[in-house]
Amino acid sequence: AQKITQTQPGMFVQEKEAVTLDCTYDTSDPSYGLFWYKQPSSGEMIFLIYQGSYDQQNATEGRYSLNFQKARKSANLVISASQLGDSAMYFCAMKPNNAGNMLTFGGGTRLMVKP
Amino acid sequence: NAGVTQTPKFQVLKTGQSMTLQCAQDMNHNSMYWYRQDPGMGLRLIYYSASEGTTDKGEVPNGYNVSRLNKREFSLRLESAAPSQTSVYFCASSEVFADGPLPIYGYTFGSGTRLTVV
């Protein structure tokens, strides 16, 4: 079975600063995909970024980057130049290659951006 | 371009009542899922359907049934609602958008159904 752990229930960051949200995972599957989603107060799930276990480079999407350390089984999300609109819940999720099509989610981190 | 549509958006049930949550996607995705999200927690998989005609249990299936009516629609039924089923329910669908040794999946989520059982 796979497991995703997000150890930071809540975090504050000053507007315009960078912030790192932690995610560690556990799976016996050598092939897997890692995802980050944002859930604002309105409740929808917004896809942010994807990292494949075979990818040699860390994924980047605009202000989002993924600090992927395969040996440590961590996939931390880095948000640069935080904005007030970044205040939301953030979820790390994983899909092992050989365990069906479903995503397994971590418990989430609530990020609050201070003006 | 609706994506994944869930109905209803809000529902209050009395303990013991039954109801069906509806989900439809217009993206021709093969796989569909039902998740629940309890306050302050991540999403947990209830049931999923890898393709039309198949359904499988997820992490928390007790108290629920599902029907994959056709490729578009995947419904979740609570036969006898309990207060422990108070939650936000998300339907999702997925497709493979890049094949290879590690296929890359894209997931689309509905906007959720907020269910309260009193």
Side-chain angles (χ1 to χ4, degrees), chain B residues 9-87:
Chain B
K9 294 192 183 303
F10 302 92
Q11 184 71 48
V12 178
L13 289 179
K14 293 182 179 178
T15 298
Q17 286 185 319
S18 62
M19 80 162 294
T20 300
L21 307 185
Q22 306 287 353
C23 175
Q25 51 94 7
D26 62 0
M27 298 168 288
N28 204 36
H29 289 176
N30 283 320
S31 300
M32 297 185 73
Y33 314 85
W34 277 106
Y35 287 90
R36 63 176 287 174
Q37 183 182 24
D38 298 324
M41 296 179 64
L43 279 68
R44 292 184 294 168
L45 184 67
I46 305 171
Y47 270 93
Y48 68 100
S49 171
S51 61
E52 185 179 356
T54 69
T55 61
D56 285 288
K57 295 179 180 179
E59 181 185 355
V60 288
N62 291 344
Y64 305 95
N65 285 300
V66 290
S67 295
R68 184 73 183 267
L69 305 170
N70 47 55
K71 192 170 186 179
R72 289 187 65 248
E73 297 172 287
F74 187 39
S75 62
L76 177 72
R77 182 160 179 84
L78 288 71
E79 290 291 351
S80 178
S84 61
Q85 295 177 303
T86 293
S87 191

Side-chain angles (χ1 to χ4, degrees), chain A residues 31-33 35 37 39 41-45 47 50 52-54 89 91 95 97 100-108, chain B residues 31 33 35 37 40-45 48 50 57 59 90 94 100-111 114:
Chain A
S31 304
Y32 47 88
F35 300 73
Y37 285 86
Q39 187 180 44
S41 58
S42 51
E44 72 269 31
M45 297 291 287
F47 167 74
Y50 169 86
S53 60
Y54 294 144
M89 283 289 289
F91 293 98
K95 186 200 120 31
N97 202 29
N101 298 341
M102 55 281 196
L103 286 174
T104 298
F105 285 84
Chain B
S31 300
Y33 314 85
Y35 287 90
Q37 183 182 24
M41 296 179 64
L43 279 68
R44 292 184 294 168
L45 184 67
Y48 68 100
K57 295 179 180 179
E59 181 185 355
F90 287 95
S94 71
L102 178 58
I104 300 175
Y105 283 75
Y107 296 83
T108 303
F109 286 83
S111 57
R114 188 173 296 273

Side-chain angles (χ1 to χ4, degrees), chain A residues 57-78:
Chain A
Q57 293 187 323
N58 288 341
T60 61
E61 289 286 348
R63 293 188 298 111
Y64 304 108
S65 60
L66 204 152
N67 183 2
F68 180 46
Q69 298 185 46
K70 191 171 182 178
R72 299 180 62 182
K73 293 191 173 181
S74 74
N76 299 339
L77 177 71
V78 180

